[in-house]
Amino acid sequence: MPTPIVSRRAPVYADVPDEKWNDWRWQLSHRLNSVEEIEKIIPLTESEKKALNTSGLFRVDVTPYFISLIDPDDPNDPVRKQIIPTDAEITPFTGMMEDSLAEDRHSPVPGLVHRYPDRVLMLVTTQCASYCRYCTRSRIVGDPGQTFSRREFEMQLEYLKRTPQVRDVLLSGGDPLVLAPKILEEILTRLREIPHIEIVRIGSRVPVFLPMRVTQELCDMLAKFHPLWLNIHVNHPNEITKELADACDRMARAGIPLGNQSVLLAGINDCVHIQRELVQKLTRIRVRPYYLYQCDLVEGAGHFRTPVAKGIEIIEGLRGHTSGYAVPQFIVDAPGGGGKIPVMPNYQISASDHKIILRNYEGYITTYEEPMEYKAHDPKTCKFCQSKRPEVGQAGITGLLDSEEMFIKPTGFDEVHDRHGIQHRLKDEKKWQPLGIGAGDSHPNEEA
Ligand SMILES: *Cc1c(COP(=O)(O)O)cnc(C)c1O
């Protein structure tokens, strides 16, 4: 197997001793953010200079390691576009929002986003090792003044303690791996003291921006808190270096299952062939592609957006063409706070009462004969059905199938349909109710 190559160092860093270059503290304290500093490494375009000199722009900061991955002669370099702003960032667009995922509305306490029934997103810092120009949380990220206080952390813990349906806590930010190791350890220790929290996850781009931060010591510390999962964020094959591969190897050896979340970005990775190379390289370093996100409707990110169809095209080019393990789910995170919605090509072409018609990735069209005698699953004798956890008000479509609800109504539905009618022609009031919905309800005649 061809191993990823050790990344080049930009020429200005040629004389930095290895022990400094490989020290994450040195990398953090030598981050670049001004025209003067960045121009020593790459010649900047007028548009980039204008953006860097604009006050109030989303924070810029790049580690020497990551900026060295840029080809200085290519103004369209895919790494460059992710971290060096251009004046396109200043341009508003239709649909743009500050908090497009309505995270603040879903926060029972500051920094804790509780949108799904059994899991929460816990924001533990606003700081990152470098700043992605399309950041979905640019309304708070990068601003040290917005960072979370100890009091807020205690409030987050209090909420988690009194909310037993939460079994999965996803630490994010900002980037949890830029926290001082003692603070991160304390957060993990306190979460592990809550018995109903079964798994903890970390979302981090530190392994990509600052792979030297993933020391053996850090991995040993994280391994004390299993089951612990970690998602990294790689968008382009050029980010997969020997340093990143080694960092992932240390985490995988510490027993941490690794995933990748990437964002579909115009001019960076909006190509089936780039994506195929990306996901194959990720699986080689034991990172499983998890999600590919449609770019959010966030301020400053308009020029990175692609049509949703581009994501469908990419999944079409991956599913069947490469290992199933290498195929992420393409996700649109619904504006307004609807959460993650998977979108994919259609594989079902038609259906009858005993057959479905499917097509595969090659366009081969086939039939699958349905069983003629299916004995329905019996919820009355199934232990799992008997002890299911209620998803208070959030059972959604599966709740319709599971007979918890008969319908989902748009707001205002009852008012629109209330024509002040009186019931007539029904002799028996009970016939207003359906006789039974779903497999869970037995037919009244059966009881007799
Ligand atoms: C993405 C996200 C999660 C985790 O979603 P999974 O699909 O379980 O990975 C949880 N909470 C919020 C608010 C999120 O945005």
Side-chain angles (χ1 to χ4, degrees), residues 82 149 173 200 279 315 397 411 434 442:
Q82 292 182 52
S149 64
V200 176
V279 298
I315 301 303
I397 309 298
T411 44
S442 53

Side-chain angles (χ1 to χ4, degrees), residues 159-338:
Y159 179 83
L160 291 174
K161 281 183 200 162
R162 65 171 191 265
T163 315
Q165 78 255 36
V166 175
R167 43 165 291 285
D168 174 1
V169 175
L170 167 49
L171 298 182
S172 183
D175 195 318
L177 295 189
V178 300
L179 287 174
K182 282 283 157 251
I183 298 193
L184 182 59
E185 186 162 5
E186 187 195 343
I187 294 172
L188 291 166
T189 306
R190 299 286 299 278
L191 287 173
R192 274 282 166 255
E193 284 165 4
I194 305 175
H196 56 263
I197 294 174
E198 297 170 0
I199 63 169
V200 176
R201 299 192 249 177
I202 295 177
S204 174
R205 208 177 185 187
V206 157
V208 179
F209 287 144
L210 190 65
M212 42 297 274
R213 176 67 191 93
V214 186
T215 57
Q216 190 54 48
E217 209 183 343
L218 178 73
C219 294
D220 293 342
M221 187 273 275
L222 294 175
K224 292 194 290 186
F225 300 97
H226 277 313
L228 181 104
W229 298 59
L230 192 138
N231 269 323
I232 63 172
H233 172 179
V234 182
N235 291 318
H236 190 280
N238 288 6
E239 295 160 55
I240 303 183
T241 60
K242 171 82 163 55
E243 289 90 334
L244 174 65
D246 289 348
C248 291
D249 187 61
R250 287 191 287 276
M251 293 189 285
R253 283 172 196 271
I256 304 169
L258 299 172
N260 184 59
Q261 315 199 70
S262 56
V263 182
L264 181 50
L265 298 164
I268 295 178
N269 60 11
D270 51 344
C271 159
V272 169
H273 305 285
I274 293 174
Q275 290 283 347
R276 213 181 273 172
E277 173 95 3
L278 171 66
V279 298
Q280 290 172 349
K281 278 192 154 171
L282 284 166
T283 54
R284 278 194 239 157
I285 62 167
R286 290 201 273 178
V287 175
R288 162 128 211 231
Y290 181 52
Y291 287 153
L292 169 65
Y293 289 104
Q294 173 70 10
C295 189
D296 288 330
L297 292 165
V298 67
E299 257 178 80
H303 59 298
F304 288 122
R305 300 200 305 133
T306 61
V308 172
K310 181 52 76 172
I312 296 176
E313 178 191 336
I314 287 168
I315 301 303
E316 188 71 72
L318 296 178
R319 172 64 61 201
H321 296 274
T322 192
S323 323
Y325 266 127
V327 183
Q329 281 209 65
F330 175 53
I331 300 283
V332 179
D333 211 336

Side-chain angles (χ1 to χ4, degrees), residues 101 103 106 113-116 118-122 137 168 170 201 231 261 290-291 293 331 333 339-340:
L101 309 179
E103 292 189 329
H106 280 90
V113 188
H114 190 182
R115 174 188 288 134
Y116 300 102
D118 70 337
R119 55 207 186 280
V120 297
L121 176 65
M122 184 169 168
R137 229 164 270 132
D168 174 1
L170 167 49
R201 299 192 249 177
N231 269 323
Q261 315 199 70
Y290 181 52
Y291 287 153
Y293 289 104
I331 300 283
D333 211 336
K340 297 180 176 71

